[in-house]
Amino acid sequence: METMFSASSVSVPREAASTFDELSMQQSLLFSDSLKDLRNLRSQLYSAAEYFELSYTNDDQKHMVVETLKDYAIKAFVNTVDHLGSVSYKVNGLLDEKVEEVSGTELRVSCIEQRLRTCQEHFDREGLAQQSLIITAPKYHKRYILPAGESMLGSGPGQAIANNEGLSDHNESNDSKLFQAVRSTMRDSPSSATRRAPSPSPSLKSRYRSPSRRARSPSPSRKARSPSPSPRPGKFFSEKRAVSPLPTSNPLLRSGSLASRPAISNSLSTVKRYPSAPRKSLSMRMPAEKDEKKEDEENTSRSKRFLKALLSRRKSQRDDMLYSYLDEY
Amino acid sequence: MARAGGITNAVNVGIAVQADWENREFISHISLNIRRLFDFLLHFEATTKSKLASLNEKLDTLERRLELLEVQVGTASDNPSIFT
């Protein structure tokens, strides 16, 4: 039963296909027959016209001939119209069918083109991704992206991260202590430039803090230093912070104004120190108040004491390293 | 008698004239319909020509696009390194 059903279901499309082919064949045969009839109609009409002409001239019953001619002309005309209508209808149908086929083919071709374009875009995107992966992103030194307050270790590019990762806790603690000391002294001690130019706004305090720390000036101790500086900053920090006799508030004078330490510049007299712009701006951040004179005097006395201590230890190499460290920051 | 002959001649002439008018009417009808048929054939020719021209243009465009696709596919199949 199932096999019969399947056989019948299989045979149905075949029959449909066969019927479709048969129908198309019949239509094409009818079309060709109608075209042949149209072709033969001309000769038939010419022969009929000749016949009726002869019969009209020869026959006595002309009225009958005319009536027969009329009937024949009407029938021939109707037949011609019928043939022309069927032929034109079939031609129109064929043309519409071909136009539809061409439209379908255009749609397929446009679909293929769209697929090809999509593939091309995908290839381009993949190639661009591969090429962009080849390009290495530029790596900047860590000190340029570190926020204020963090330690900046390493002098060359590429060493910052490694040195920072490889440092011990002891070095980090020493470094942070040194920075805190520098910051506190910078806040506490107003320079002479503070009095020259009043600070425009307190917001400059935070703006000029990091450049003043980063600003470098050729220090005399650094210039007169031997050409063998400490190769490892981490090592240098550990040694320096462990042995340094200077108080933590001493680095203030290194970053202070020029007028606050005339003794050291005169005594060394190797290279003249010029106050850099960040230092000026650092001094500008402090408000010019009159009640700070006492603090200034205390600071000047303190700085003099510190400078004396520095002069006593001027020739020591560790002090040179300290100066170099202070110049770097 | 003469009157009757004249009347019959007049009737015959009238019948002949009427038949002539009928024939003329028939011929005018036939010619009018043939002219309409000719107009239809002209219109059919024009529409069929335009349709065939548009079909030909579409086929030309399709042929060029297919040739382009063939060239692109041939180029892509000749260089298998593109797909790797």
Side-chain angles (χ1 to χ4, degrees), chain A residues 190-199 282-288 292:
Chain A
S191 61
S192 62
T194 308
R195 275 162 263 149
R196 284 180 208 159
S199 67
L282 176 68
S283 62
M284 285 167 67
R285 69 187 167 89
M286 302 303 291
E292 290 179 354

Side-chain angles (χ1 to χ4, degrees), chain A residues 106-240:
Chain A
E106 277 187 343
L107 197 63
R108 287 180 184 177
V109 169
S110 60
C111 183
I112 292 170
E113 282 181 353
Q114 191 175 359
R115 284 181 186 176
L116 204 65
R117 206 175 301 132
T118 307
C119 289
Q120 190 72 32
E121 287 177 1
H122 183 68
F123 290 157
D124 293 342
R125 205 173 297 161
E126 287 295 324
L128 193 64
Q130 287 179 1
Q131 293 298 322
S132 63
L133 284 174
I134 288 171
I135 298 169
T136 56
K139 291 180 179 179
Y140 297 104
H141 199 276
K142 197 178 180 183
R143 62 182 175 182
Y144 295 118
I145 54 173
L146 269 177
E150 285 192 24
S151 64
M152 292 183 291
L153 298 171
S155 56
Q159 288 183 353
I161 297 169
N163 289 333
N164 196 16
E165 287 173 358
L167 278 178
S168 63
D169 294 334
H170 179 67
N171 291 335
E172 287 180 358
S173 63
N174 286 336
D175 195 37
S176 62
K177 281 178 184 176
L178 181 61
F179 268 110
Q180 286 174 2
V182 169
R183 193 178 297 170
S184 62
T185 51
M186 285 167 70
R187 283 173 188 164
D188 291 335
S189 66
S191 61
S192 62
T194 308
R195 275 162 263 149
R196 284 180 208 159
S199 67
S201 66
S203 65
L204 289 171
K205 192 183 286 182
S206 61
R207 213 165 78 189
Y208 290 111
R209 192 175 296 163
S210 55
S212 67
R213 260 192 281 150
R214 273 212 310 260
R216 295 186 182 186
S217 65
S219 67
S221 61
R222 195 181 180 187
K223 292 230 169 183
R225 188 172 60 189
S226 64
S228 62
S230 62
R232 296 265 180 187
K235 207 173 180 179
F236 157 71
F237 287 137
S238 62
E239 288 177 6
K240 193 68 190 171

Side-chain angles (χ1 to χ4, degrees), chain A residues 263-274:
Chain A
I264 191 166
S265 61
N266 292 329
S267 63
L268 295 173
S269 70
T270 53
V271 177
K272 198 172 183 180
R273 285 179 183 267
Y274 295 101

Side-chain angles (χ1 to χ4, degrees), chain B residues 1-42:
Chain B
M1 277 299 281
R3 260 189 198 178
I7 290 168
T8 52
N9 286 332
V11 170
N12 290 330
V13 169
I15 290 169
V17 168
Q18 189 177 358
D20 185 62
W21 276 111
E22 286 177 355
N23 290 329
R24 286 173 186 269
E25 187 181 4
F26 175 76
I27 291 166
S28 67
H29 278 296
I30 291 290
S31 63
L32 181 64
N33 285 317
I34 288 171
R35 201 168 290 171
R36 283 180 181 175
L37 187 64
F38 185 71
D39 290 338
F40 166 74
L41 288 174
L42 286 176

Side-chain angles (χ1 to χ4, degrees), chain A residues 66 70 74 77 80-81 84 88 91-92 95-96 98-99 102-103 105-106 109-110 112-113 116 123, chain B residues 22-23 26 30 33-34 37 40-41 44 48 51-52 55 58-59 61-62 65-66 69 72-73 82-83:
Chain A
V66 170
K70 283 182 181 177
I74 290 168
F77 185 76
T80 305
V81 168
L84 284 174
S88 62
V91 167
N92 269 326
L95 275 176
D96 291 338
K98 296 299 176 188
V99 167
V102 169
S103 299
T105 311
E106 277 187 343
V109 169
S110 60
I112 292 170
E113 282 181 353
L116 204 65
F123 290 157
Chain B
E22 286 177 355
N23 290 329
F26 175 76
I30 291 290
N33 285 317
I34 288 171
L37 187 64
F40 166 74
L41 288 174
F44 177 73
T48 307
K51 283 183 180 179
L52 284 171
L55 195 63
K58 283 183 179 179
L59 284 172
T61 309
L62 204 59
R65 288 166 72 180
L66 280 173
L69 281 175
Q72 285 180 352
V73 170
I82 296 173
F83 300 102

